[in-house]
Amino acid sequence: MEFSRLEILMNIDNLKTKKVLIVGVGGVGGYAVEALARCGIGSITIVDYDKVDISNINRQIIALHSTIGLSKVDVLKKRILDINPNCLVETFNCFYDEKTTDLIFNKDYDYILDCCDSLKSKELLIREAIKRNIKIISSMGAGFKFDPSKIQIEKLKNTSYDKLARILRYNLKDNKKCLEIPVVYSKEQMEKKGTTIGSNAFIPSIFGLTMASYIINDIRKENYEKN
């Protein structure tokens, strides 16, 4: 059985009932989806408008020379189903904004992973999650980082040393619930050179795996409290 090793650690039946939305499936989101699929999450919805580019190969799990030019959500859907054929996978090959919100929220979700790059999309997604009372975890900046030990989960209101988090805190200050959401971020400070965001293979992936672990542990806690 695919999930027999995980079943040693927790009751996996509840994982099959969960519906998870992941917005952005690049360096962070791709690894988050990978972990969720390998844990047996029953329903995964992925949103991304982009195609695989050769510059993605250094950090994105779906980026191979054989996938360059292909839709990221199409490549990832194929990978999810190859891992877990029983997973219900829905894809949206689009940008997340006000125009696509109703389309994407065509069903209920138990969890949302915000792995998108756009500040405006992040703000909109966080507000939508709070409005709909859906649990959400958001990724802050993974670029220009090298030290995995500096990565942690913290409430947005308590973050430091992260420019993206600082801007989000300011933009969302009118809604205190938004400031309470958990985020994955790094306290590492590095000098930024140029306008292109530098990245590596391990920091974005750890961000994504950390986000997936947050969800799985929350489900595990839910099972424990029920029993």
Side-chain angles (χ1 to χ4, degrees):
M1 181 180 174
E2 304 101 311
F3 310 112
S4 59
R5 296 300 180 95
L6 179 59
E7 198 167 17
I8 296 171
L9 302 176
M10 65 180 292
N11 182 346
I12 65 172
D13 290 339
N14 206 21
L15 296 170
K16 300 175 184 178
T17 69
K18 298 303 181 185
K19 300 175 183 178
V20 182
L21 168 67
I22 302 94
V23 181
V25 293
V28 175
Y31 275 92
V33 172
E34 176 85 1
L36 295 175
R38 292 186 184 276
C39 287
I41 291 294
S43 175
I44 295 176
T45 299
I46 50 178
V47 181
D48 202 305
Y49 70 96
D50 209 357
K51 294 181 180 180
V52 179
D53 184 79
I54 193 169
S55 65
N56 302 149
I57 286 179
N58 81 311
R59 68 193 184 283
Q60 298 189 16
I61 196 166
I62 56 173
L64 307 167
H65 283 277
S66 60
T67 62
I68 291 172
L70 301 180
S71 162
K72 287 184 179 180
V73 293
D74 290 346
V75 173
L76 191 53
K77 178 178 180 178
K78 183 178 179 181
R79 185 178 180 90
I80 295 168
L81 293 176
D82 205 10
I83 294 169
N84 180 11
N86 295 316
C87 185
L88 299 176
V89 184
E90 187 172 14
T91 64
F92 291 99
N93 190 353
C94 64
F95 188 78
Y96 179 76
D97 57 18
E98 295 91 342
K99 296 178 182 178
T100 56
T101 293
D102 289 340
L103 174 68
I104 292 167
F105 283 91
N106 64 347
K107 63 181 179 182
D108 295 328
Y109 300 103
D110 298 292
Y111 295 93
I112 298 173
L113 278 74
D114 161 32
C115 306
C116 54
D117 296 325
S118 165
L119 175 63
K120 187 175 181 181
S121 295
K122 282 184 175 297
E123 181 181 340
L124 179 65
L125 187 58
I126 292 169
R127 289 186 184 278
E128 195 67 27
I130 296 302
K131 183 177 76 173
R132 294 174 180 265
N133 197 30
I134 303 173
K135 293 181 179 180
I136 183 171
I137 181 168
S138 180
S139 170
M140 299 295 101
F144 298 104
K145 310 292 184 183
F146 262 94
D147 187 351
S149 70
K150 296 292 195 300
I151 299 171
Q152 62 188 66
I153 297 177
E154 185 59 88
K155 289 182 180 180
L156 177 59
K157 69 177 184 180
N158 294 332
T159 52
S160 56
Y161 303 109
D162 188 290
K163 181 180 178 181
L164 178 59
R166 183 171 71 250
I167 297 171
L168 270 177
R169 288 198 307 271
Y170 179 82
N171 291 351
L172 296 170
K173 64 182 180 180
D174 61 301
N175 189 325
K176 292 183 179 180
K177 289 185 178 180
C178 290
L179 301 179
E180 294 286 337
I181 70 160
V183 302
V184 176
Y185 85 111
S186 171
K187 298 184 76 171
E188 181 179 7
Q189 299 181 71
M190 290 191 66
E191 181 182 354
K192 298 181 180 181
K193 299 179 180 180
T195 56
T196 302
I197 298 176
S199 63
N200 53 54
F202 46 90
I203 295 297
S205 60
I206 295 172
F207 266 57
L209 294 173
T210 301
M211 295 175 82
S213 75
Y214 179 86
I215 288 178
I216 299 304
N217 278 302
D218 192 71
I219 296 171
R220 184 168 176 261
K221 179 182 175 182
E222 176 185 293
N223 288 346
Y224 177 80
E225 289 175 347
K226 285 183 179 178
N227 295 327

